Amino acid sequence: MQVFDDISTLQLRLNAWRTKHQKIALVPTMGGLHAGHLSLITLAKKRADKVVVSVFVNPTQFAAHEDLGSYPRTLDADLQQLKACGVDGVFTPTAAQIYPEGKAFERSQFGEKIHLFEMLCGQTRPHFFFGVLQVVRRLFDIVEPDVAVFGRKDFQQLTIIKKFTTGVEIVPGDTVREDSGLAMSTRNQYLSADERKIASQLHAILTQLSSAQLTKTQAEVLLKQHFKLDYLSVLDANTLGEIDTTTTQVAILCAVFLGSTRLIDNIIYKQTGKACS
Ligand code: AMP
């Protein structure tokens, strides 16, 4: 496994692989790796000959009041896990390498589709998806992967990346959970032992809603007993619009605050009621 902290050395290696007609997969991460990230790497290995993982805490997706400064940075442990997984290359750029001109993203270029950036998580984090798309596009420009793998855990993010990407196949990976049902997340490190127990209620309640054991209103009441509710939405999973007669898959999407930690989760299921992930 080679670690690249320099774009030109990385690109030399990528070109050598491409010359041999080897297919390249990219798995973008912000580090603080857990089994969810590793499952995306396993998927990437099935879809390509060489797997590159980027580890970069992207400043443009954090608002000034958010946790950019305290976000877990565990590069040594991350590299050990990536080596054990058989990753071929790890890209660990600095912010100056990713944003040499220090430019903010141009919102105006997205026209009407901007609604996708402003709904759900975009309401509480209006900057977030612009920053995510900015870094993903920059990473795609640098690596030029054939395939890139993203988690369904961040379903709105996945939807936006799919919609605004051409020329790179976007492969979704299922959400990996703790035994308690809590979706794995780097930010789970912020939770105390007591909070972790409470956090598992999030998936339990969404599961009951997806199996019609609870109505949406009942689910909201239960969520509010444990958390500060940010949003609970039931939408068409393909469009993130309202459910209508053309809907084949339903997405239950939720964000809550537990203390100062924000948790998101979702359940995607066929209109027939069968869970997809
Ligand atoms: P992050 O490092 O949090 O930016 O996440 C990097 C990638 O890992 C994103 O595509 C996430 O959707 C994905 N991811 C995060 N948590 C999980 C999880 N529990 N299961 C599967 N994928 C995940």
Side-chain angles (χ1 to χ4, degrees), residues 104-162:
F105 215 31
E106 291 291 327
R107 291 180 173 219
S108 53
Q109 70 192 85
F110 293 102
E112 292 165 22
K113 289 181 190 140
I114 210 160
H115 178 59
L116 260 187
F117 293 63
E118 291 176 342
M119 64 192 294
L120 304 171
C121 285
Q123 288 205 315
T124 307
R125 308 186 74 196
H127 57 285
F128 179 69
F129 293 112
F130 294 96
V132 168
L133 200 58
Q134 179 180 30
V135 75
V136 167
R137 286 195 165 174
R138 179 75 178 120
L139 290 169
F140 285 0
D141 281 347
I142 293 169
V143 177
E144 295 183 73
D146 300 284
V147 174
V149 186
F150 293 88
R152 286 197 175 93
K153 151 88 171 34
D154 299 282
F155 194 77
Q156 187 178 5
Q157 168 176 293
L158 172 67
T159 304
I160 288 173
I161 291 168
K162 274 201 294 205

Side-chain angles (χ1 to χ4, degrees), residues 160-173:
I160 288 173
I161 291 168
K162 274 201 294 205
K163 207 167 192 88
F164 290 99
T165 299
T166 48
V168 179
E169 186 190 355
I170 305 299
V171 175

